[in-house]
Amino acid sequence: VTASEIEELYEIREALEVLAMRAAALNASGKDWLNLEKIIRQQTLCEEQDSKRSHGELFRESHEFHQEIARLSGKETLTQMIDMVSDRINRFQWMNLFLTDRAGHSREEHMQIVRYLKQGKIEEAIAANQTHIRYSKDTILNLLRRKKDLLYIY
């Protein structure tokens, strides 16, 4: 995996998720946002009760948020494309959550995005999601530059 591949995948992910979020904002109901908020709260509660949760479980929960937004878009092809890009990103995305202890912060960012969506503040939600995605990309690239043994990168 190269740094340029990571950058390209994150650019694609960001563009696709912006499309998904705009479509989800048109298609989803307040009930959908409340349900997504409930899922995030449940994840936080589980983490507080069990600090020994597996990395796989934490990773799955983070990924589930973005999949749900894609699903709420109602666009099957877009959802498939997001899944395809996510599958490629997942090869190194774990570094962002586990080497930086970022799972809790990521969940808080997800909650803020949902708050904006519930309030109908689509552009704010999109900007928050873009910041979230870019932070993840930058963190991974910085980790790889410092610790080249984590993954072959040039």
Side-chain angles (χ1 to χ4, degrees):
V1 176
T2 66
S4 61
E5 181 183 3
I6 291 169
E7 289 176 357
E8 182 180 4
L9 285 167
Y10 271 93
E11 287 173 17
I12 294 167
R13 173 186 171 193
E14 184 178 320
L16 293 174
E17 287 194 22
V18 166
L19 291 172
M21 197 165 284
R22 287 190 195 287
L26 293 174
N27 294 328
S29 67
K31 181 182 169 189
D32 292 320
W33 302 132
L34 288 172
N35 187 46
L36 188 54
E37 191 176 56
K38 181 180 172 184
I39 290 168
I40 298 167
R41 280 199 179 111
Q42 184 62 37
Q43 292 169 354
T44 303
L45 181 63
C46 287
E47 183 173 6
E48 289 169 356
Q49 292 173 348
D50 181 10
S51 62
K52 296 180 182 179
R53 298 175 74 209
S54 74
H55 287 158
E57 188 174 4
L58 291 170
F59 181 79
R60 181 191 52 75
E61 289 173 356
S62 178
H63 186 64
E64 180 181 6
F65 170 81
H66 297 281
Q67 287 179 315
E68 183 62 13
I69 298 272
R71 187 192 69 75
L72 289 171
S73 77
K75 297 188 177 287
E76 181 72 25
T77 303
L78 178 58
T79 300
Q80 290 171 1
M81 292 175 76
I82 289 171
D83 285 342
M84 182 184 73
V85 171
S86 293
D87 285 346
R88 293 197 53 200
I89 287 175
N90 290 347
R91 295 182 295 164
F92 42 84
Q93 175 65 22
W94 59 270
M95 289 183 284
N96 183 42
L97 292 175
F98 310 122
L99 296 181
T100 62
D101 194 29
R102 178 138 160 72
H105 295 289
S106 182
R107 221 182 313 2
E108 204 35 59
E109 291 165 1
H110 291 166
M111 188 62 83
Q112 182 59 53
I113 292 165
V114 173
R115 282 187 203 112
Y116 284 138
L117 290 168
K118 277 177 38 185
Q119 297 168 5
K121 296 180 177 181
I122 308 313
E123 295 308 312
E124 289 88 342
I126 287 169
N129 195 51
Q130 288 173 314
T131 299
H132 171 74
I133 291 169
R134 290 172 188 171
Y135 187 86
S136 176
K137 175 192 72 173
D138 292 343
T139 300
I140 290 167
L141 290 172
N142 287 332
L143 279 167
L144 291 174
R145 286 184 184 108
R146 285 190 322 231
K147 297 183 172 262
K148 292 184 188 267
D149 59 326
L150 290 173
L151 191 67
Y152 180 72
I153 187 166
Y154 59 90

